[in-house]
Amino acid sequence: MPRTLTLMHVGAIAKLALLALAVLVLPVTAIAVLGHVPGPALALGLWWPAVQGILPTVTFLVLPGAIGVAVALYYASLASEGQLAASYALRLSPVALAGPALFVGVAGSLAGLAVAGWIAPSNASKIHDTIFTIEHKNEPRLLEPRRLYELGDGRYLFRFEGWVDRDTVSRAYLLINEPTGERRVLFAERATFVRGEATLSAVFEQGYVHSYQPGQSQPNSIGFDRLRQSFGTDAEGALPRRPWRGVFELSPVELYDLAASVGLFGQRARDWVSEAFKRLAIPFLAFAHAIFAVGLVMRHGRISTRREFRPAFWIGPVALVHAVFVVFGEMVIFAVPAAVWLALALILVEIAVGALWLIQSQRGPGRVSRSSSPAPAAALATPR
């Protein structure tokens, strides 16, 4: 294929792939952010670190599917417009015509490996730091009704029914674990947070307190009209530090070093195998989907004559195949690490099927027949 024509096809496929990527990634990222970050936290600007943490991961998971869809749509469009038939008339083979798609697939795999190996791990901590901050930061505006919050390094458990105004909540519940072993359970109809002080505190109104001494089964109960209780931690201090680190945050070198110590069974083995599959195998699907999609169109598309363009017919198989591999990476391999071998075998099967279709298209229904080949110019001329 001439170099200029090759570059034209590569550019068109790449643009279509980027468009498909944006169409898929943006709504998925938005839904994930809204699912992890409550409304009050969004108003405080915590949506941005959440986007930074989620977007790279969603990108490398979706990128292979976007490339497969773009290849299928582009070649199906060429077939429906008769351009592939014209290319065959110039004696270009299906393998040569598939070259731009395979090039984009390889480039997409390399880009996906870079995002999955370095960009996504370095940003994944931001979404989990955001979630940890929402759950542990002593900032009243981050609290949502009917959720149990752990405050003060686990010493206080707090819950409320709803917001009354900017500072006041209704039907508040507070469990206090004292260092002496005493437990106090506080119920109140209203609680108003006190702002502008060094520590977070609240004034509870119209309630009662149950005190449980160590070894005591029956509580000592007392009612109150107003009771001020401090949560014992900084109200406006630094963000809390997350005490754990996930395997999804490890650099490629750290992930490789961890392989020697995870063993064959247990939670760490499931985490490592699932993460390694997503980082290494999922990006490689860009090439696998590209050869599968172009082989699908070349072998099963009637490219010798113009026909109706049906996008769903070509998108469906590619999208379904990609969805299967994503489910494998996120769920099946995590539950059964040995399933990674089945997933890798299926990737090889996809590549083999796509290559087989390309080879068969040399003589299959995708080839131009004599009866359907472009008519000579003399035959198409109108008699004077």
mmCIF file of all heavy atoms in Angstrom, residues 16 96 107 111 128 134 148 151 171 179 182 226 270 282 344 365:
data_model
loop_
_atom_site.group_PDB
_atom_site.id
_atom_site.type_symbol
_atom_site.label_atom_id
_atom_site.label_comp_id
_atom_site.label_asym_id
_atom_site.label_seq_id
_atom_site.Cartn_x
_atom_site.Cartn_y
_atom_site.Cartn_z
ATOM 1 N N LEU A 16 -10.769 8.181 15.035
ATOM 2 C CA LEU A 16 -12.000 7.500 15.420
ATOM 3 C C LEU A 16 -11.835 6.793 16.758
ATOM 4 O O LEU A 16 -12.758 6.765 17.581
ATOM 5 C CB LEU A 16 -12.389 6.496 14.332
ATOM 6 C CG LEU A 16 -13.776 5.859 14.436
ATOM 7 C CD1 LEU A 16 -14.862 6.919 14.457
ATOM 8 C CD2 LEU A 16 -14.008 4.892 13.275
ATOM 9 N N ALA A 96 -2.423 -6.509 3.375
ATOM 10 C CA ALA A 96 -1.880 -5.167 3.190
ATOM 11 C C ALA A 96 -2.878 -4.098 3.620
ATOM 12 O O ALA A 96 -2.511 -3.094 4.242
ATOM 13 C CB ALA A 96 -1.499 -4.963 1.726
ATOM 14 N N ALA A 107 0.381 0.457 18.425
ATOM 15 C CA ALA A 107 0.583 1.737 19.098
ATOM 16 C C ALA A 107 -0.323 1.873 20.322
ATOM 17 O O ALA A 107 0.101 2.364 21.377
ATOM 18 C CB ALA A 107 0.327 2.887 18.120
ATOM 19 N N ALA A 111 0.800 2.374 24.243
ATOM 20 C CA ALA A 111 0.258 3.474 25.039
ATOM 21 C C ALA A 111 -0.465 2.946 26.277
ATOM 22 O O ALA A 111 -0.334 3.505 27.376
ATOM 23 C CB ALA A 111 -0.694 4.313 24.180
ATOM 24 N N HIS A 128 -8.263 6.929 46.498
ATOM 25 C CA HIS A 128 -8.383 6.257 47.792
ATOM 26 C C HIS A 128 -8.051 7.193 48.943
ATOM 27 O O HIS A 128 -8.646 7.079 50.026
ATOM 28 C CB HIS A 128 -7.498 5.016 47.805
ATOM 29 C CG HIS A 128 -7.943 3.953 46.858
ATOM 30 N ND1 HIS A 128 -8.951 3.047 47.164
ATOM 31 C CD2 HIS A 128 -7.564 3.655 45.592
ATOM 32 C CE1 HIS A 128 -9.149 2.250 46.135
ATOM 33 N NE2 HIS A 128 -8.330 2.594 45.174
ATOM 34 N N ILE A 134 -12.734 11.572 53.239
ATOM 35 C CA ILE A 134 -14.169 11.760 53.458
ATOM 36 C C ILE A 134 -14.645 10.984 54.676
ATOM 37 O O ILE A 134 -15.465 11.462 55.467
ATOM 38 C CB ILE A 134 -14.953 11.338 52.207
ATOM 39 C CG1 ILE A 134 -14.637 12.290 51.046
ATOM 40 C CG2 ILE A 134 -16.451 11.312 52.463
ATOM 41 C CD1 ILE A 134 -15.180 11.825 49.719
ATOM 42 N N LEU A 148 -22.260 5.664 59.046
ATOM 43 C CA LEU A 148 -21.495 5.584 60.288
ATOM 44 C C LEU A 148 -20.065 6.048 60.006
ATOM 45 O O LEU A 148 -19.384 5.495 59.136
ATOM 46 C CB LEU A 148 -21.492 4.145 60.817
ATOM 47 C CG LEU A 148 -20.896 3.944 62.228
ATOM 48 C CD1 LEU A 148 -21.742 4.693 63.263
ATOM 49 C CD2 LEU A 148 -20.833 2.466 62.566
ATOM 50 N N LEU A 151 -14.334 8.694 63.816
ATOM 51 C CA LEU A 151 -13.629 9.937 64.073
ATOM 52 C C LEU A 151 -12.648 9.744 65.223
ATOM 53 O O LEU A 151 -12.787 8.823 66.033
ATOM 54 C CB LEU A 151 -14.616 11.058 64.419
ATOM 55 C CG LEU A 151 -15.729 11.327 63.396
ATOM 56 C CD1 LEU A 151 -16.707 12.356 63.930
ATOM 57 C CD2 LEU A 151 -15.147 11.784 62.070
ATOM 58 N N ARG A 171 -31.311 13.766 65.075
ATOM 59 C CA ARG A 171 -31.236 12.385 65.573
ATOM 60 C C ARG A 171 -29.798 11.852 65.468
ATOM 61 O O ARG A 171 -29.489 10.958 64.682
ATOM 62 C CB ARG A 171 -32.212 11.486 64.817
ATOM 63 C CG ARG A 171 -33.670 11.914 64.939
ATOM 64 C CD ARG A 171 -34.616 10.900 64.353
ATOM 65 N NE ARG A 171 -34.547 9.624 65.051
ATOM 66 C CZ ARG A 171 -35.185 9.326 66.186
ATOM 67 N NH1 ARG A 171 -35.942 10.246 66.767
ATOM 68 N NH2 ARG A 171 -35.068 8.134 66.732
ATOM 69 N N PRO A 179 -10.304 5.308 76.952
ATOM 70 C CA PRO A 179 -9.098 4.490 77.175
ATOM 71 C C PRO A 179 -9.206 3.560 78.371
ATOM 72 O O PRO A 179 -8.531 2.528 78.430
ATOM 73 C CB PRO A 179 -8.006 5.548 77.387
ATOM 74 C CG PRO A 179 -8.529 6.792 76.731
ATOM 75 C CD PRO A 179 -10.014 6.737 76.902
ATOM 76 N N GLU A 182 -14.303 2.093 79.399
ATOM 77 C CA GLU A 182 -15.695 2.521 79.485
ATOM 78 C C GLU A 182 -16.223 2.878 78.093
ATOM 79 O O GLU A 182 -15.514 3.441 77.271
ATOM 80 C CB GLU A 182 -15.816 3.730 80.407
ATOM 81 C CG GLU A 182 -17.238 4.270 80.516
ATOM 82 C CD GLU A 182 -17.298 5.567 81.307
ATOM 83 O OE1 GLU A 182 -16.226 6.058 81.717
ATOM 84 O OE2 GLU A 182 -18.410 6.104 81.476
ATOM 85 N N ARG A 226 -28.920 19.822 77.253
ATOM 86 C CA ARG A 226 -27.806 20.251 76.397
ATOM 87 C C ARG A 226 -26.522 19.621 76.926
ATOM 88 O O ARG A 226 -26.272 19.622 78.127
ATOM 89 C CB ARG A 226 -27.676 21.789 76.379
ATOM 90 C CG ARG A 226 -28.795 22.487 75.646
ATOM 91 C CD ARG A 226 -28.679 24.008 75.838
ATOM 92 N NE ARG A 226 -27.412 24.525 75.320
ATOM 93 C CZ ARG A 226 -27.224 24.942 74.080
ATOM 94 N NH1 ARG A 226 -28.239 24.886 73.211
ATOM 95 N NH2 ARG A 226 -26.071 25.419 73.689
ATOM 96 N N ARG A 270 -4.359 -13.313 44.939
ATOM 97 C CA ARG A 270 -5.473 -12.859 44.100
ATOM 98 C C ARG A 270 -5.266 -11.417 43.658
ATOM 99 O O ARG A 270 -5.480 -11.068 42.499
ATOM 100 C CB ARG A 270 -6.793 -13.011 44.852
ATOM 101 C CG ARG A 270 -7.203 -14.450 45.097
ATOM 102 C CD ARG A 270 -8.673 -14.534 45.467
ATOM 103 N NE ARG A 270 -8.931 -13.853 46.731
ATOM 104 C CZ ARG A 270 -8.901 -14.446 47.915
ATOM 105 N NH1 ARG A 270 -8.604 -15.744 47.995
ATOM 106 N NH2 ARG A 270 -9.162 -13.773 49.013
ATOM 107 N N ILE A 282 -4.419 -6.614 29.528
ATOM 108 C CA ILE A 282 -5.478 -5.740 29.024
ATOM 109 C C ILE A 282 -4.958 -4.775 27.953
ATOM 110 O O ILE A 282 -5.580 -4.628 26.885
ATOM 111 C CB ILE A 282 -6.159 -4.978 30.173
ATOM 112 C CG1 ILE A 282 -6.955 -5.948 31.062
ATOM 113 C CG2 ILE A 282 -7.088 -3.892 29.632
ATOM 114 C CD1 ILE A 282 -8.145 -6.579 30.402
ATOM 115 N N LEU A 344 -5.570 -15.775 29.204
ATOM 116 C CA LEU A 344 -4.460 -15.629 28.257
ATOM 117 C C LEU A 344 -4.676 -16.509 27.028
ATOM 118 O O LEU A 344 -4.371 -16.098 25.895
ATOM 119 C CB LEU A 344 -3.143 -15.990 28.946
ATOM 120 C CG LEU A 344 -2.710 -15.056 30.093
ATOM 121 C CD1 LEU A 344 -1.434 -15.575 30.746
ATOM 122 C CD2 LEU A 344 -2.501 -13.633 29.571
ATOM 123 N N PRO A 365 -15.631 -14.552 0.714
ATOM 124 C CA PRO A 365 -16.643 -13.677 0.151
ATOM 125 C C PRO A 365 -16.230 -12.229 0.122
ATOM 126 O O PRO A 365 -16.846 -11.418 -0.537
ATOM 127 C CB PRO A 365 -17.859 -13.884 1.075
ATOM 128 C CG PRO A 365 -17.275 -14.384 2.359
ATOM 129 C CD PRO A 365 -16.103 -15.195 1.974
#
